[in-house]
Amino acid sequence: MAQHFLLSSQAKTLTLAKVARMSAEEAYDTFRLIRWVKTAGEPVCPICGGVECYTFTTRKLFKCKACQKQFSVTSGTIFASRKLPIRDYLLAIAIFVNGAKGYAALQLSRDLGVAYQTAFVLSHKLREAVAAEQMVKEQLSGHVEVDGAYFGGHVRPENRKEDRKDRRRAENQTGKRRVVVVMRERQGRTMPLVFKSEAVSVPVIFNHVRHDATVYADEATHWDALHARFLTKRINHQEAYSTDEACTNQAESFFSRLRRAEIGIHHHISGKYLSAYASEMAWREDNRRISNGEQYLATTAAALNHPVSRIWKGYWQRQKSQQGI
């Protein structure tokens, strides 16, 4: 029997001990090399793109000769206005990618010795960075599987049988339940999107999948509209999960990973952040056959190439002001 990739030595090329033992200077040099890889670590102004810069000897800052602006190795990135040491960010990234089914913010806060709020925002910043890499502009092509699954909006049943209501009916729902619709190329990319229902996702699928692709879906009636645009093959799950003609097993594999993250790692995913968690799981699913060292470098590069987050910068300060605290 062949060994699973995650159990092989090829999957483990990075250890947390190696990152934790980095000196402050080694961590700083690593950030420089990953951020400015095209110039071999030489600074490039994030404001005007100038490559001629002064280097301060007393502080780790640069000054652009063209626009005269000062910047650091994290300026203009998702780590802008940082408060933690650079080594802690590298360690957080290594911990994040090692979580095959995701990583809880509470556990990350204990690992790094920081407040839960800090770990929560840092985790979401990393999700935003990898999601930007995941949501490519090119349309999906080839053989594309389409399916949807509902998450969140749990309605707790009443204790006594006579007090219980049919939780499947719309009037007994909380309004928080959302469906994740995934479009997944076979042996290719995974693109998840969040909607209130599967039916409203059809026009979006038209925009994200090439018209010459072959689409696979189940027998839900709202997927009937796919026949007007694509060569569509359907599978009736009441009869079989897979046939020679069609299956949606790759889409179901993605939902399995997301469901395990929700139940086993995070225990609860808020509807407004469901898209972030879905994009993270899509990234993990697409990169499950590369080593953790490659995942670490890819995530660090994505974070250092991603602009300042307009959602997560000052998140807790905005929450407090909205609550009048």
Side-chain angles (χ1 to χ4, degrees), residues 193-211:
L193 296 168
V194 178
F195 302 92
K196 286 190 175 181
S197 67
E198 288 184 341
V200 300
S201 69
V202 173
V204 181
I205 295 173
F206 288 164
N207 293 331
H208 285 88
V209 180
R210 286 173 55 93
H211 70 278

Side-chain angles (χ1 to χ4, degrees), residues 195-244:
F195 302 92
K196 286 190 175 181
S197 67
E198 288 184 341
V200 300
S201 69
V202 173
V204 181
I205 295 173
F206 288 164
N207 293 331
H208 285 88
V209 180
R210 286 173 55 93
H211 70 278
D212 57 349
T214 301
V215 173
Y216 300 85
D218 58 28
E219 287 291 324
T221 55
H222 42 260
W223 301 136
D224 293 346
L226 297 176
H227 290 271
R229 182 69 65 90
F230 313 105
L231 171 60
T232 306
K233 299 184 178 182
R234 312 287 287 276
I235 176 72
N236 187 345
H237 285 154
Q238 291 183 345
E239 298 179 358
Y241 293 118
S242 175
T243 66
D244 293 337

